[in-house]
């Protein structure tokens, strides 16, 4: 069970008509390092045409640039990061991040880790994990470039977070996923439903471990850039029925998530998650979970 | 700690670092704060502010350390826009691109390179006594390290980006 026809057919069944879509390049201003107005002015003076992303406080689409926005002095000085628009959403869903202890469980290459540090204004502590050593170099470079000061990085599988002996106020689960065709041109030829199910199982294991290390009433933001319901709605339906979690209402870009998947009725609170079909951004799924306090 | 102090001293300045908050991981130095110190475990990969690393007898500073030095009164050369760009691309600095010099102008000394916004772009070694040399087309500062290094690292690592 694979191929473009198979997956596009599934999307239609879920109520969405497939379209060819090219994601627009976008940046996010690191406000811990520069005032937004100042950097916008500087980039415009370089001939870069920016367009404010309406649903993000510090995000801009690059409308026009004669050169790569990854090769300016301003980028190398950490004044902004290159981050896809939808990928900028998850970190903004947490409340009151300053001075908190935060786990970024699947952190490389570090775009969202830097964003968390920015939202925390370099206060508190971020513990950033990635299971693959070769990816930690990229993560460390991002942290150094963006002058992040509040982060500790470990090579660790997110499913072993308990080894840290720390209880977290906030956890970001930007879990490994199957991705989507917008971000990966060869997606349809490479992915199978078997891959999707395998990733979904891994994601459940990561979710289950996160619940072990989050404080009572602590927040978990779960995100994927997959369009497949096994990795999104079905996983969250399983999580709220199994892991003492409840879904929080969120206000962000995207549509209400599906509460009926291929004829299977899910918990009605799933509609508080957000599913983003590729239109203005790449495909994405995001939701905010809260661990219920023990009686 | 000594390699850091010695390196900073080459810019004719010093910075106060709380030694109890500096940790050495193999050949790399990191500066923590009290919060991070409470959380950090022995097997960390990166923590707090990366200060630099020692290879053999040479200390290789991080850009964060250079920015910390730049906050102090130290040897600095401020360059114009075009020169700043060329410096980031790995080029040396000619006298014609220099807008201002603070601290040492003496051959052999190290100096930070800053752009018009006083942002630190890296550092270099002064090749000629600036007071004496009149020729604007001669190299005055040899590039030793610039922030374009981040791009060079990415290229050599050839890692795949997750968006």
């Amino acid at each position: 069970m694979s191929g473009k026809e198979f997956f596009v057919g599934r999307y239609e069944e879920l109520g969405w008509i497939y379209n060819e879509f090219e994601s627009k390049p976008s940046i996010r201003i690191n406000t811990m390092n520069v005032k937004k107005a100042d950097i916008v002015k500087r980039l415009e003076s370089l001939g870069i045409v920016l367009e404010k992303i309406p649903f993000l406080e510090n995000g801009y689409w690059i409308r026009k640039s004669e050169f790569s926005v990854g090769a300016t002095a301003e980028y190398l000085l950490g004044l902004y990061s290159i981050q896809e628009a939808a990928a900028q959403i998850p970190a903004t869903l947490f409340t009151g991040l300053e001075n908190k202890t935060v786990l970024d469980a699947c952190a490389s290459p570090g775009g969202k880790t830097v964003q968390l540090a920015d939202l925390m204004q370099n206060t508190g502590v971020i513990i950033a994990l990635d299971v693959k050593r070769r990816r930690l170099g990229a993560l460390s470079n991002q942290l150094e470039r963006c002058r992040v000061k509040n982060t500790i990085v470990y090579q660790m599988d997110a499913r072993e977070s308990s080894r840290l002996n720390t209880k977290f106020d906030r956890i970001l689960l930007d879990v490994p996923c199957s991705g989507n065709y917008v971000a990966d041109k060869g997606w349809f030829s490479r992915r199978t439903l078997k891959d999707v199910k395998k990733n979904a199982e891994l994601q459940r294991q990561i979710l289950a471990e996160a619940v072990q290390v989050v404080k009572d009433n602590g927040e978990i933001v779960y995100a994927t850039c997959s369009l497949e319901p096994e990795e999104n709605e079905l996983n969250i339906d399983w999580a709220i029925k199994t892991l003492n979690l409840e879904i929080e209402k969120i206000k962000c870009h995207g549509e209400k998530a599906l509460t009926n998947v291929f004829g299977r009725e899910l918990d009605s609170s799933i509609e508080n998650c957000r599913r983003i079909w590729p239109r203005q951004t790449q495909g994405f799924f995001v939701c905010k979970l809260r661990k219920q306090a023990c009686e | 700690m000594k390699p850091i102090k010695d390196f900073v001293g080459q810019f004719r300045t010093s910075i106060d670092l709380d030694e109890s908050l500096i940790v050495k991981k193999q050949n790399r130095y990191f500066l923590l704060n009290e919060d991070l110190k409470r959380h950090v475990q022995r097997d960390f990969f990166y923590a707090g502010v990366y200060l630099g690393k020692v290879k053999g007898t040479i200390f290789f500073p991080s850009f964060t350390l250079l920015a910390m030095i730049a906050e102090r009164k130290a040897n600095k050369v401020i360059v114009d826009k075009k020169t700043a760009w060329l410096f980031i691309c790995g080029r040396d600095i000619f006298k014609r691109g220099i807008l201002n010099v603070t601290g040492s102008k003496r051959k052999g000394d190290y100096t930070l390179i800053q752009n018009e916004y006083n942002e630190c772009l890296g550092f270099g070694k002064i090749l000629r006594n600036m007071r004496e040399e009149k020729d604007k087309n001669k190299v005055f500062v040899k590039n030793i390290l610039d922030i374009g290094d981040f791009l060079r690292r990415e290229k050599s690592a050839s890692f795949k980006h997750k968006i």
Side-chain angles (χ1 to χ4, degrees), chain A residues 42 70-71 73 76-77 84 106 108-109 133 136 138 140-141 144-145 148-154 164 174, chain B residues 35-36 39-41 43-49 62-63 85 88 117 119-120 147 150-151 153 159 162-163:
Chain A
R42 277 173 71 170
L76 296 169
L77 286 161
E84 207 276 336
C106 312
S108 290
R133 190 166 184 92
L136 298 181
S140 304
N141 284 341
E144 186 190 349
R145 180 180 64 81
V148 170
K149 297 173 183 164
N150 65 343
T151 300
I152 304 170
V153 178
Y154 294 100
L164 294 164
D174 178 29
Chain B
D35 272 349
L36 294 174
H39 281 89
V40 78
Q41 295 176 14
D43 58 344
F44 75 90
F45 182 84
Y46 183 104
V49 175
S62 71
F63 292 99
W85 177 246
I88 291 169
Y117 301 99
E119 292 158 340
C120 184
I147 54 172
F150 285 118
L151 293 177
R153 288 183 209 172
F159 52 78
K162 178 172 77 171
I163 295 176

Side-chain angles (χ1 to χ4, degrees), chain A residues 2-50:
Chain A
S2 60
K4 186 170 180 179
E5 204 176 318
F6 170 73
F7 282 106
V8 168
R10 273 165 52 101
Y11 304 152
E12 279 181 20
E13 230 181 295
L14 297 172
W16 182 73
I17 305 299
Y18 168 81
N19 61 32
E20 293 288 342
F21 175 78
E22 195 134 321
S23 176
K24 290 174 277 189
S26 50
I27 62 167
R28 184 184 48 74
I29 310 299
N30 285 320
T31 59
M32 62 186 163
N33 294 333
V34 69
K35 284 185 184 149
K36 201 158 48 178
D38 292 348
I39 183 64
V40 168
K41 206 169 147 189
R42 277 173 71 170
L43 293 178
E44 286 174 346
S45 77
L46 296 172
I48 297 172
V49 180
L50 299 171

Side-chain angles (χ1 to χ4, degrees), chain B residues 71-112:
Chain B
E71 286 168 12
R72 320 282 299 185
K73 198 178 167 190
N75 298 346
K76 295 173 199 174
V77 168
I78 298 172
V79 297
D80 64 26
K81 206 176 275 182
K82 187 181 168 191
T83 306
W85 177 246
L86 290 171
F87 180 73
I88 291 169
C89 296
R91 306 285 183 84
D92 298 331
I93 289 173
F94 292 85
K95 191 175 182 183
R96 62 174 182 266
I98 295 174
L99 298 175
N100 193 20
V101 179
T102 56
S104 175
K105 296 180 177 181
R106 218 175 48 194
K107 182 181 170 181
D109 281 355
Y110 285 104
T111 186
L112 299 172

Side-chain angles (χ1 to χ4, degrees), chain A residues 35-85:
Chain A
K35 284 185 184 149
K36 201 158 48 178
D38 292 348
I39 183 64
V40 168
K41 206 169 147 189
R42 277 173 71 170
L43 293 178
E44 286 174 346
S45 77
L46 296 172
I48 297 172
V49 180
L50 299 171
E51 179 189 350
K52 178 85 177 65
I53 300 174
F55 51 87
L56 292 168
E57 200 181 333
N58 298 317
Y60 290 81
W61 277 306
I62 307 294
R63 278 285 166 214
K64 191 183 154 201
S65 178
E66 299 295 324
F67 45 83
S68 163
V69 290
T72 67
E74 289 76 10
Y75 172 76
L76 296 169
L77 286 161
L79 306 186
Y80 65 87
S81 293
I82 299 168
Q83 198 175 7
E84 207 276 336

